[in-house]
Amino acid sequence: MADHLEILDLNSYAALGDSFTEGLNDPAPDGSFAGWADRLAWMLAAGRPEGEFRYANLAVRGRLLDQIIAEQVPQVRRIQPDLVTFVAGGNDILRPGSDPDEVAERFEAAVVQLRESARTVLISTGFDTRGVPVLKHLRGKIATYNVHLRAIADRNDCAVADLWSLRTLQHRQAWSEDRLHLSPEGHQRVALLAARALGLTTAEDPAAPWPAEESHTAAEQRRENLQWARDYLLPWVGRRLRGESSGDHVEAKRPDLLPL
């Protein structure tokens, strides 16, 4: 079912962040990635005259919070969008020894800057990793960061997309094979959640149950977990140990406000 959205007084939108906002593992027709931010932009542009709504996506995979603040936040002052989505800090939280209290302080300083240039700022909480191998051990750290994010939103009048509470994102169908990035349908659920956080009414429900899928035995699940660790987890850990990023030599896919 297509979404029916009332038109907000928002004529331009810039998305800031890392691979989550760049849209990894949600293939677009042109061979790039779409993702929840692109999907949200299409929802916001629906029903408008062609070319009236403008959109920029500055997000780059692998970026840490300080990189996003240095590279992407200043661009908001330049392009002056009506809406900014700012989802950052997740890669920092995943790093050993990182302090969610300190990350949150830097995040809020960036939010203050963004509020000076954009009329509306939307942030999101982090995912609940309770059922994710390895990452489930970081659940308390992510929860601490989320508490800070909600307080930051209250102090700075930001909208919040609460990913932690969206239980449908804990289902395997929400995630791609690497279990680190969303599937296309997972990105759609997040876009719907973000739209509702902005006050839009959507015909589709981000919390709707998933279609039934074939069950797996415990042995099959163990084999899948081992395969996933070999194919995705170990290479990811290796890049971290070598100080490499999947975003090295990658540029923003849509660096300027362009008509949709």
Side-chain angles (χ1 to χ4, degrees):
M1 182 184 298
D3 292 318
H4 174 70
L5 303 175
E6 63 273 23
I7 296 177
L8 291 180
D9 184 22
L10 298 171
N11 295 313
S12 56
Y13 163 34
L16 280 59
D18 51 33
S19 60
F20 171 59
T21 301
E22 185 186 346
L24 258 62
N25 296 357
D26 181 16
D30 64 0
S32 66
F33 292 111
W36 71 270
D38 286 21
R39 291 169 179 266
L40 175 62
W42 296 332
M43 292 178 187
L44 292 169
R48 300 171 185 264
E50 184 176 355
E52 180 182 283
F53 188 83
R54 296 175 299 145
Y55 169 56
N57 190 315
L58 306 172
V60 176
R61 68 197 73 174
R63 290 298 192 260
L64 296 169
L65 177 59
D66 283 348
Q67 293 173 308
I68 294 169
I69 291 173
E71 299 168 4
Q72 300 176 29
V73 170
Q75 298 304 312
V76 172
R77 185 179 297 277
R78 176 179 65 86
I79 62 180
Q80 295 284 310
D82 293 333
L83 168 68
V84 168
T85 58
F86 181 47
V87 184
N91 287 328
D92 299 73
I93 296 299
L94 294 179
R95 296 206 165 197
S98 62
D99 180 355
D101 301 333
E102 187 272 334
V103 175
E105 289 182 6
R106 290 185 281 125
F107 184 93
E108 182 163 21
V111 167
V112 171
Q113 292 184 55
L114 293 172
R115 291 290 288 122
E116 293 174 352
S117 301
R119 182 152 42 91
T120 302
V121 174
L122 181 143
I123 67 174
S124 85
T125 60
F127 296 104
D128 186 349
T129 59
R130 72 174 73 185
V132 183
V134 180
L135 298 184
K136 65 184 178 183
H137 301 295
L138 299 176
R139 189 171 183 245
K141 201 172 173 182
I142 296 168
T144 299
Y145 188 51
N146 284 347
V147 172
H148 283 299
L149 292 176
R150 283 201 160 276
I152 290 168
D154 289 342
R155 287 193 292 268
N156 295 280
D157 193 25
C158 299
V160 180
D162 189 3
L163 303 180
W164 179 277
S165 297
L166 187 58
R167 294 186 179 276
T168 49
L169 294 182
Q170 296 171 22
H171 196 282
R172 60 187 294 157
Q173 288 179 252
W175 297 89
S176 62
E177 288 185 354
D178 69 7
R179 304 187 189 180
L180 298 170
H181 301 99
L182 294 171
S183 65
E185 182 57 31
H187 278 287
Q188 177 68 6
R189 300 287 180 120
V190 173
L192 291 167
L193 182 72
R196 291 189 173 195
L198 291 170
L200 300 175
T201 301
T202 65
E204 294 179 70
D205 183 359
W210 292 96
E213 64 173 358
E214 183 180 352
S215 60
H216 293 259
T217 66
E220 289 173 333
Q221 290 176 352
R222 284 194 295 270
R223 284 196 296 271
E224 287 181 2
N225 288 341
L226 288 172
Q227 187 68 41
W228 167 75
R230 284 193 296 266
D231 293 347
Y232 300 106
L233 179 61
L234 291 178
W236 180 77
V237 171
R239 288 196 300 273
R240 295 297 181 274
L241 294 176
R242 294 189 299 272
E244 298 174 358
S245 169
S246 58
D248 290 344
H249 314 298
V250 176
E251 298 181 353
K253 64 181 181 181
R254 197 178 175 95
D256 292 298
L257 287 175
L258 299 173
L260 277 178

Tab-separated table of all heavy atoms in Angstrom, residues 24-59:
chain	number	residue	atom	x	y	z
A	24	LEU	N	23.463	1.635	2.943
A	24	LEU	CA	24.100	0.393	2.515
A	24	LEU	C	23.142	-0.794	2.543
A	24	LEU	O	22.330	-0.937	3.453
A	24	LEU	CB	25.325	0.091	3.386
A	24	LEU	CG	26.657	0.443	2.703
A	24	LEU	CD1	26.746	1.935	2.411
A	24	LEU	CD2	27.839	-0.022	3.530
A	25	ASN	N	23.290	-1.617	1.510
A	25	ASN	CA	22.548	-2.868	1.301
A	25	ASN	C	21.081	-2.653	0.957
A	25	ASN	O	20.261	-3.563	1.101
A	25	ASN	CB	22.707	-3.805	2.495
A	25	ASN	CG	24.154	-4.251	2.680
A	25	ASN	OD1	25.020	-3.894	1.887
A	25	ASN	ND2	24.413	-5.036	3.705
A	26	ASP	N	20.764	-1.445	0.489
A	26	ASP	CA	19.441	-1.162	-0.085
A	26	ASP	C	19.678	-0.666	-1.513
A	26	ASP	O	19.770	0.542	-1.747
A	26	ASP	CB	18.700	-0.113	0.739
A	26	ASP	CG	17.310	0.187	0.181
A	26	ASP	OD1	16.806	-0.617	-0.635
A	26	ASP	OD2	16.727	1.212	0.580
A	27	PRO	N	19.827	-1.581	-2.478
A	27	PRO	CA	20.226	-1.188	-3.831
A	27	PRO	C	19.214	-0.260	-4.499
A	27	PRO	O	18.001	-0.467	-4.423
A	27	PRO	CB	20.309	-2.530	-4.578
A	27	PRO	CG	20.425	-3.567	-3.508
A	27	PRO	CD	19.658	-3.036	-2.339
A	28	ALA	N	19.740	0.767	-5.162
A	28	ALA	CA	18.911	1.683	-5.938
A	28	ALA	C	18.993	1.290	-7.415
A	28	ALA	O	19.915	0.589	-7.826
A	28	ALA	CB	19.402	3.119	-5.749
A	29	PRO	N	18.035	1.706	-8.236
A	29	PRO	CA	18.039	1.332	-9.660
A	29	PRO	C	19.303	1.737	-10.415
A	29	PRO	O	19.689	1.083	-11.376
A	29	PRO	CB	16.808	2.061	-10.206
A	29	PRO	CG	15.909	2.216	-9.032
A	29	PRO	CD	16.818	2.449	-7.868
A	30	ASP	N	19.966	2.814	-9.961
A	30	ASP	CA	21.146	3.291	-10.687
A	30	ASP	C	22.435	2.602	-10.245
A	30	ASP	O	23.530	2.978	-10.670
A	30	ASP	CB	21.293	4.809	-10.535
A	30	ASP	CG	21.547	5.235	-9.089
A	30	ASP	OD1	21.604	4.358	-8.202
A	30	ASP	OD2	21.675	6.451	-8.851
A	31	GLY	N	22.324	1.592	-9.364
A	31	GLY	CA	23.500	0.867	-8.924
A	31	GLY	C	24.112	1.383	-7.635
A	31	GLY	O	25.014	0.754	-7.077
A	32	SER	N	23.645	2.521	-7.145
A	32	SER	CA	24.102	3.043	-5.859
A	32	SER	C	23.225	2.453	-4.759
A	32	SER	O	22.524	1.471	-4.968
A	32	SER	CB	24.029	4.572	-5.854
A	32	SER	OG	22.680	4.993	-5.941
A	33	PHE	N	23.271	3.044	-3.574
A	33	PHE	CA	22.390	2.620	-2.489
A	33	PHE	C	21.320	3.680	-2.260
A	33	PHE	O	21.566	4.877	-2.425
A	33	PHE	CB	23.181	2.404	-1.197
A	33	PHE	CG	24.119	1.223	-1.256
A	33	PHE	CD1	25.490	1.409	-1.275
A	33	PHE	CD2	23.623	-0.067	-1.295
A	33	PHE	CE1	26.354	0.325	-1.332
A	33	PHE	CE2	24.477	-1.158	-1.358
A	33	PHE	CZ	25.845	-0.955	-1.374
A	34	ALA	N	20.138	3.225	-1.884
A	34	ALA	CA	19.049	4.145	-1.538
A	34	ALA	C	19.071	4.349	-0.024
A	34	ALA	O	19.770	5.194	0.494
A	34	ALA	CB	17.715	3.596	-2.020
A	35	GLY	N	18.315	3.527	0.718
A	35	GLY	CA	18.330	3.637	2.169
A	35	GLY	C	17.173	4.445	2.714
A	35	GLY	O	16.411	5.080	1.988
A	36	TRP	N	17.060	4.425	4.035
A	36	TRP	CA	15.907	5.045	4.690
A	36	TRP	C	15.840	6.551	4.428
A	36	TRP	O	14.745	7.111	4.291
A	36	TRP	CB	15.935	4.770	6.188
A	36	TRP	CG	17.022	5.506	6.926
A	36	TRP	CD1	18.288	5.067	7.165
A	36	TRP	CD2	16.924	6.814	7.496
A	36	TRP	NE1	19.003	6.028	7.836
A	36	TRP	CE2	18.195	7.101	8.067
A	36	TRP	CE3	15.913	7.770	7.584
A	36	TRP	CZ2	18.460	8.308	8.708
A	36	TRP	CZ3	16.179	8.975	8.232
A	36	TRP	CH2	17.438	9.237	8.782
A	37	ALA	N	16.977	7.234	4.361
A	37	ALA	CA	16.950	8.683	4.161
A	37	ALA	C	16.427	9.034	2.774
A	37	ALA	O	15.619	9.962	2.621
A	37	ALA	CB	18.346	9.272	4.381
A	38	ASP	N	16.875	8.293	1.749
A	38	ASP	CA	16.337	8.511	0.407
A	38	ASP	C	14.836	8.230	0.389
A	38	ASP	O	14.047	8.967	-0.229
A	38	ASP	CB	17.021	7.596	-0.602
A	38	ASP	CG	18.442	8.037	-0.943
A	38	ASP	OD1	19.054	8.784	-0.154
A	38	ASP	OD2	18.943	7.625	-2.009
A	39	ARG	N	14.443	7.155	1.041
A	39	ARG	CA	13.025	6.792	1.076
A	39	ARG	C	12.198	7.869	1.783
A	39	ARG	O	11.086	8.195	1.365
A	39	ARG	CB	12.855	5.436	1.755
A	39	ARG	CG	13.415	4.264	0.943
A	39	ARG	CD	13.476	2.985	1.777
A	39	ARG	NE	13.982	1.848	1.016
A	39	ARG	CZ	13.220	0.962	0.380
A	39	ARG	NH1	11.898	1.087	0.417
A	39	ARG	NH2	13.758	-0.046	-0.289
A	40	LEU	N	12.751	8.420	2.867
A	40	LEU	CA	12.065	9.514	3.560
A	40	LEU	C	11.953	10.729	2.640
A	40	LEU	O	10.903	11.392	2.597
A	40	LEU	CB	12.824	9.873	4.837
A	40	LEU	CG	12.304	11.087	5.613
A	40	LEU	CD1	10.871	10.864	6.096
A	40	LEU	CD2	13.222	11.398	6.800
A	41	ALA	N	13.005	11.031	1.909
A	41	ALA	CA	12.965	12.168	0.985
A	41	ALA	C	11.871	11.985	-0.061
A	41	ALA	O	11.142	12.929	-0.392
A	41	ALA	CB	14.326	12.343	0.315
A	42	TRP	N	11.737	10.764	-0.589
A	42	TRP	CA	10.681	10.505	-1.571
A	42	TRP	C	9.300	10.710	-0.949
A	42	TRP	O	8.387	11.234	-1.598
A	42	TRP	CB	10.810	9.080	-2.116
A	42	TRP	CG	12.075	8.842	-2.885
A	42	TRP	CD1	12.800	9.774	-3.593
A	42	TRP	CD2	12.790	7.610	-3.007
A	42	TRP	NE1	13.916	9.185	-4.145
A	42	TRP	CE2	13.943	7.869	-3.813
A	42	TRP	CE3	12.583	6.323	-2.533
A	42	TRP	CZ2	14.862	6.874	-4.130
A	42	TRP	CZ3	13.497	5.332	-2.852
A	42	TRP	CH2	14.623	5.611	-3.634
A	43	MET	N	9.145	10.298	0.311
A	43	MET	CA	7.865	10.508	0.995
A	43	MET	C	7.578	11.998	1.154
A	43	MET	O	6.451	12.464	0.922
A	43	MET	CB	7.901	9.852	2.383
A	43	MET	CG	7.949	8.341	2.374
A	43	MET	SD	8.041	7.698	4.081
A	43	MET	CE	8.304	5.939	3.761
A	44	LEU	N	8.598	12.757	1.538
A	44	LEU	CA	8.404	14.195	1.741
A	44	LEU	C	8.118	14.927	0.430
A	44	LEU	O	7.432	15.948	0.416
A	44	LEU	CB	9.647	14.791	2.403
A	44	LEU	CG	9.916	14.351	3.845
A	44	LEU	CD1	11.307	14.806	4.285
A	44	LEU	CD2	8.857	14.894	4.790
A	45	ALA	N	8.656	14.391	-0.678
A	45	ALA	CA	8.456	15.033	-1.980
A	45	ALA	C	7.132	14.645	-2.624
A	45	ALA	O	6.690	15.316	-3.568
A	45	ALA	CB	9.604	14.662	-2.914
A	46	ALA	N	6.496	13.595	-2.138
A	46	ALA	CA	5.265	13.099	-2.755
A	46	ALA	C	4.174	14.167	-2.735
A	46	ALA	O	3.970	14.865	-1.737
A	46	ALA	CB	4.788	11.846	-2.030
A	47	GLY	N	3.485	14.295	-3.854
A	47	GLY	CA	2.370	15.236	-3.947
A	47	GLY	C	2.774	16.661	-4.272
A	47	GLY	O	1.916	17.536	-4.398
A	48	ARG	N	4.057	16.912	-4.426
A	48	ARG	CA	4.518	18.260	-4.752
A	48	ARG	C	4.774	18.385	-6.260
A	48	ARG	O	5.024	17.380	-6.932
A	48	ARG	CB	5.824	18.578	-4.007
A	48	ARG	CG	5.735	18.529	-2.487
A	48	ARG	CD	7.125	18.638	-1.895
A	48	ARG	NE	7.127	18.477	-0.455
A	48	ARG	CZ	7.110	19.487	0.409
A	48	ARG	NH1	7.076	20.738	-0.047
A	48	ARG	NH2	7.115	19.273	1.704
A	49	PRO	N	4.789	19.588	-6.769
A	49	PRO	CA	5.195	19.780	-8.171
A	49	PRO	C	6.617	19.276	-8.385
A	49	PRO	O	7.460	19.384	-7.486
A	49	PRO	CB	5.102	21.302	-8.363
A	49	PRO	CG	4.141	21.755	-7.313
A	49	PRO	CD	4.341	20.844	-6.143
A	50	GLU	N	6.892	18.730	-9.537
A	50	GLU	CA	8.209	18.173	-9.827
A	50	GLU	C	9.297	19.219	-9.651
A	50	GLU	O	9.180	20.339	-10.146
A	50	GLU	CB	8.252	17.631	-11.256
A	50	GLU	CG	9.555	16.947	-11.613
A	50	GLU	CD	9.536	16.333	-12.994
A	50	GLU	OE1	8.460	16.358	-13.635
A	50	GLU	OE2	10.583	15.837	-13.439
A	51	GLY	N	10.341	18.855	-8.927
A	51	GLY	CA	11.471	19.744	-8.728
A	51	GLY	C	11.333	20.699	-7.569
A	51	GLY	O	12.299	21.411	-7.234
A	52	GLU	N	10.186	20.727	-6.904
A	52	GLU	CA	9.994	21.678	-5.809
A	52	GLU	C	10.765	21.280	-4.568
A	52	GLU	O	11.289	22.135	-3.842
A	52	GLU	CB	8.505	21.797	-5.471
A	52	GLU	CG	8.219	22.766	-4.331
A	52	GLU	CD	6.741	22.823	-3.984
A	52	GLU	OE1	5.994	23.478	-4.732
A	52	GLU	OE2	6.344	22.205	-2.983
A	53	PHE	N	10.842	19.964	-4.291
A	53	PHE	CA	11.514	19.483	-3.091
A	53	PHE	C	12.959	19.138	-3.418
A	53	PHE	O	13.245	18.460	-4.404
A	53	PHE	CB	10.800	18.251	-2.533
A	53	PHE	CG	11.315	17.808	-1.182
A	53	PHE	CD1	10.863	18.417	-0.033
A	53	PHE	CD2	12.267	16.800	-1.081
A	53	PHE	CE1	11.336	18.031	1.208
A	53	PHE	CE2	12.753	16.403	0.151
A	53	PHE	CZ	12.280	17.020	1.301
A	54	ARG	N	13.901	19.596	-2.569
A	54	ARG	CA	15.319	19.358	-2.809
A	54	ARG	C	15.910	18.512	-1.676
A	54	ARG	O	15.495	18.629	-0.521
A	54	ARG	CB	16.068	20.688	-2.925
A	54	ARG	CG	15.635	21.540	-4.105
A	54	ARG	CD	16.339	22.881	-4.089
A	54	ARG	NE	16.028	23.625	-2.878
A	54	ARG	CZ	16.906	24.430	-2.237
A	54	ARG	NH1	18.137	24.575	-2.705
A	54	ARG	NH2	16.540	25.070	-1.147
A	55	TYR	N	16.899	17.702	-2.035
A	55	TYR	CA	17.438	16.713	-1.095
A	55	TYR	C	18.932	16.554	-1.284
A	55	TYR	O	19.439	16.509	-2.416
A	55	TYR	CB	16.724	15.380	-1.333
A	55	TYR	CG	17.317	14.180	-0.639
A	55	TYR	CD1	17.502	14.154	0.746
A	55	TYR	CD2	17.677	13.046	-1.365
A	55	TYR	CE1	18.030	13.038	1.380
A	55	TYR	CE2	18.203	11.926	-0.738
A	55	TYR	CZ	18.382	11.929	0.638
A	55	TYR	OH	18.903	10.823	1.262
A	56	ALA	N	19.663	16.461	-0.154
A	56	ALA	CA	21.095	16.160	-0.147
A	56	ALA	C	21.342	15.017	0.832
A	56	ALA	O	20.701	14.952	1.886
A	56	ALA	CB	21.908	17.387	0.271
A	57	ASN	N	22.258	14.125	0.473
A	57	ASN	CA	22.668	13.061	1.391
A	57	ASN	C	24.190	13.108	1.487
A	57	ASN	O	24.896	12.752	0.554
A	57	ASN	CB	22.199	11.693	0.905
A	57	ASN	CG	22.408	10.609	1.949
A	57	ASN	OD1	23.455	10.531	2.579
A	57	ASN	ND2	21.393	9.765	2.133
A	58	LEU	N	24.684	13.567	2.628
A	58	LEU	CA	26.107	13.770	2.852
A	58	LEU	C	26.766	12.584	3.550
A	58	LEU	O	27.980	12.595	3.781
A	58	LEU	CB	26.331	15.034	3.693
A	58	LEU	CG	25.690	16.316	3.147
A	58	LEU	CD1	25.823	17.440	4.170
A	58	LEU	CD2	26.322	16.724	1.842
A	59	ALA	N	25.977	11.575	3.917
A	59	ALA	CA	26.481	10.461	4.726
A	59	ALA	C	27.497	9.621	3.959
A	59	ALA	O	27.366	9.408	2.751
A	59	ALA	CB	25.315	9.589	5.174
